[in-house]
Amino acid sequence: MPARRPPALADLPPMKTFVTHRVTPPQRSNAAIAQDFLDLAFQMESGRSLPYMTRFEGPITVRVTGPAPASLEPDLAALLVRLRREAGIGIRRVAADAPASITIEFLPRSQLQRLVPQAACFVAPRVSSWEDYRQSRRSGEVDWTTLPVRERVAIFIPGDVSPQEVRDCLHEELAQAIGPLNDLYRLPDSVFNDDNFHTVLTGFDMLILRAYYAPELHNGTTRDEAARALPRLLARLNPRGERIGGGDLMSPTPRVWIDAIETALGPGTAPSQRVAAARSAVEIARTQGWRDTRLAFSLFAFGRLALGQNNGETSLAAFLEAGQIYAAHPVTRVQSAHVAMHIAAFALSAGQPDTAVLIIDDHLDDVQNGENAALLASMLLMKAEALDMLGWHREAAAIRRDALGWARYGFGSEDEVRERMAEIAWLNPAQSD
C-alpha cells in the first residue's frame, strides 16, 4: 500500500447524492426509435421472440420487502416521481404488507447468486417473493413468453452492495418489470443496453416507456400491429423526432458478436480467453463495417482486458480509437468519459499530471449529468493525485475530500474506497518507485 493511507470510514465526509436529474431528449429520428421499440418489446435478451406485448393494466403499485439499505428511500422515491412525470405511468408505493403489482425484495448477494450466479439483480413474472421464485424457477410460471398480462412481478436486489449499485438495479429492473424485456447493444443513450454505461433511465428510456403505455397499444398487441401504430404514436409523443432525418437506422447485431462480448466480460473465463474474445469482437465489428458504439465498445472492452495482461501500448491504442468514435457524437459523452478516465490514468502514470487534469476536467460535467458516483469519485481522486504531483497540495486535498463523498455512494464500503484510492495513488510514478 502507498504511504498515504486512506482515512477510516468514520472520518470520511458525508455521502454525496444526486439531487437533480438532467433530462436529455432522444437525438434520433422517430423512424429509428420505432425500430428500437419493436426490437426491445418483442424479443428477450436470450434472443427468444415474444408473440405479443404485455403490460400492467391500471395503476401500478410497488412494495419493498427484506432488509433494504437506507439509501433506497430517496432513490426509489425519485425514480417513481420520474416515471410519473416523464413516462406518464401511474405508479406509487404501498406498504410492505399490502398486495402490490411489483414486489422489490432485498436479500444478501450470496443468497441471490447461489440460485442465479451471473445476475447482479433480476426480475421475474408471476411471483411476489424469493420463496415463490425458488419454488417456481424451473417451471413455466416464470416464463415471460407465456404471460398474457402482467399482474404480479418481483424484483430481487442484493441489499449488501453499494448505494449506487442498488439504485442502478432499481432503474434497470423496474423499467423491465413494467416495460420492454430486451437489451440492445446498439443503443447509445439507454439503460436498455448491456454495456452498462448508462446507469439511470434516460430521456430515450422514458419515451420508450411512455409509448409502451400509450392507449394505441395494449396487452396482446403483435409486432406487426405495433409497427403500424408507432409512426403516428411517436409523432404525437416526440414531435422533434419527426424533424430528424431517418438515415440513422442501424444494422442488426449478430449473435456471434454478442457471444464474443459476453465471453470477454462474463465471469468464469480465463484471462487469456477473455482477451481473445474481446479481440474477436473487435474483428467482427470491423468486418460488419461498424463505426458506431458497438465497435467503440469492442475496443473499450479489449483495451481494459489487454491492460490486465500488461499490454499497455495495445490497450492505449484501443482506448484512443474508442474515444475518437465516442467523441464524434454528442449523445455518447458518458461513454467518452469512461474512456477518458483510462487515458488520463495513462497520462498520470507517464508523469504527465497536467495532461491528466485537462482530460478529466473536460468530462466531469458529463459524468455528473450521467449520475455515476463511482466514476466521478475515481476521476476526482485521479485529479487530486495529479494536483499533488504538480505541487498544488491544498487544492488536491479539497478535491480528494469531495471525491470521498461521492465514493461513499459509488463504492459503499470502506474497503472498496480504500482499494480504489490505493489503485489511483499507485499511478503516481513517485509512489511506485
Side-chain angles (χ1 to χ4, degrees):
M1 294 287 287
R4 187 196 327 105
R5 288 183 58 79
L9 192 61
D11 298 325
L12 293 178
M15 180 187 295
K16 287 179 173 285
T17 59
F18 300 97
V19 295
T20 59
H21 179 77
R22 178 181 174 184
V23 180
T24 302
Q27 304 297 308
R28 296 194 297 291
S29 68
N30 280 345
I33 293 171
Q35 186 62 51
D36 295 336
F37 183 97
L38 294 172
D39 291 344
L40 286 169
F42 293 96
Q43 192 168 331
M44 299 187 65
E45 292 182 57
S46 63
R48 296 173 67 193
S49 296
L50 291 165
Y52 42 73
M53 280 182 56
T54 61
R55 66 186 193 187
F56 288 100
E57 298 287 359
I60 301 171
T61 52
V62 179
R63 67 171 185 159
V64 177
T65 63
S71 64
L72 169 76
E73 296 299 325
D75 282 343
L76 178 57
L79 175 55
L80 296 182
V81 167
R82 286 194 60 204
L83 288 170
R84 289 191 292 267
R85 183 178 65 239
E86 297 173 42
I89 294 174
I91 187 169
R92 64 184 177 88
R93 186 171 172 183
V94 296
D97 57 354
S101 315
I102 300 171
T103 298
I104 302 173
E105 182 166 345
F106 285 86
L107 63 160
R109 177 164 54 180
S110 59
Q111 184 180 353
L112 183 151
Q113 293 190 335
R114 274 199 297 271
L115 258 62
V116 190
Q118 296 186 6
C121 45
F122 67 98
V123 59
R126 295 191 179 105
V127 295
S128 296
S129 70
W130 181 249
E131 187 57 34
D132 287 350
Y133 176 75
R134 287 182 67 252
Q135 294 179 5
S136 305
R137 68 190 183 98
R138 298 190 185 280
S139 71
E141 280 293 295
V142 291
D143 185 348
W144 289 97
T145 65
T146 65
L147 198 68
V149 59
R150 300 189 197 187
E151 296 175 333
R152 288 185 306 138
V153 169
I155 297 169
F156 304 108
I157 301 177
D160 51 356
V161 295
S162 73
Q164 178 167 311
E165 189 170 343
V166 171
R167 182 209 63 190
D168 295 355
C169 281
L170 278 176
H171 279 248
E172 181 172 2
E173 304 305 334
L174 191 54
Q176 290 200 323
I178 61 179
L181 298 168
N182 198 12
D183 283 329
L184 298 172
Y185 278 104
R186 71 172 187 256
L187 299 179
D189 55 352
S190 177
V191 165
F192 294 109
N193 187 331
D194 278 334
D195 65 12
N196 293 327
F197 282 123
H198 286 278
T199 55
V200 297
L201 292 171
T202 66
F204 169 87
D205 297 329
M206 290 299 185
L207 174 60
I208 291 293
L209 291 173
R210 183 178 283 274
Y212 206 86
Y213 280 83
E216 292 94 327
L217 305 177
H218 51 81
N219 277 296
T221 297
T222 66
R223 185 183 179 108
D224 287 345
E225 290 169 341
R228 288 193 293 271
L230 280 169
R232 186 173 297 179
L233 189 164
L234 289 173
R236 175 171 63 81
L237 296 181
N238 186 42
R240 71 187 306 275
E242 295 294 291
R243 300 189 294 272
I244 300 174
D248 51 358
L249 295 175
M250 296 174 67
S251 61
T253 305
R255 189 71 221 179
V256 64
W257 181 86
I258 295 173
D259 290 342
I261 285 291
E262 289 179 349
T263 300
L265 301 180
T269 304
S272 60
Q273 292 175 306
R274 296 175 71 181
V275 173
R279 183 182 288 109
S280 176
V282 173
E283 293 169 355
I284 294 166
R286 294 196 194 281
T287 300
Q288 293 287 324
W290 295 338
R291 286 296 298 172
D292 56 37
T293 55
R294 292 169 294 184
L295 173 58
F297 185 56
S298 304
L299 289 161
F300 178 74
F302 179 59
R304 291 181 60 184
L305 292 166
L307 189 62
Q309 297 289 295
N310 297 317
N311 199 338
E313 290 186 8
T314 300
S315 178
L316 179 57
F319 285 136
L320 289 171
E321 186 178 357
Q324 289 174 346
I325 296 170
Y326 286 136
H329 304 283
V331 76
T332 49
R333 292 293 296 172
V334 169
Q335 290 90 327
S336 292
H338 280 268
V339 177
M341 185 188 71
H342 290 280
I343 297 174
F346 274 98
L348 200 62
S349 62
Q352 300 172 1
D354 49 347
T355 300
V357 170
L358 289 173
I359 293 171
I360 291 167
D361 281 349
D362 191 42
H363 292 86
L364 286 177
D365 285 346
D366 299 312
V367 179
Q368 181 88 26
N369 292 336
E371 300 183 39
N372 190 325
L375 180 60
L376 183 58
S378 297
M379 296 185 85
L380 289 173
L381 287 170
M382 202 175 293
K383 181 178 179 179
E385 198 67 37
L387 292 175
D388 269 330
M389 292 169 65
L390 292 167
W392 296 8
H393 302 299
R394 180 177 298 178
E395 294 85 348
I399 289 174
R400 186 171 286 111
R401 184 167 180 82
D402 188 34
L404 292 175
W406 291 113
R408 295 192 69 165
Y409 185 85
F411 301 116
S413 73
E414 178 181 355
D415 288 344
E416 290 284 343
V417 174
R418 283 178 174 275
E419 182 177 348
R420 183 51 55 97
M421 288 189 71
E423 288 173 355
I424 291 171
W426 274 108
L427 292 172
N428 184 338
Q431 293 285 348
S432 55
D433 287 342

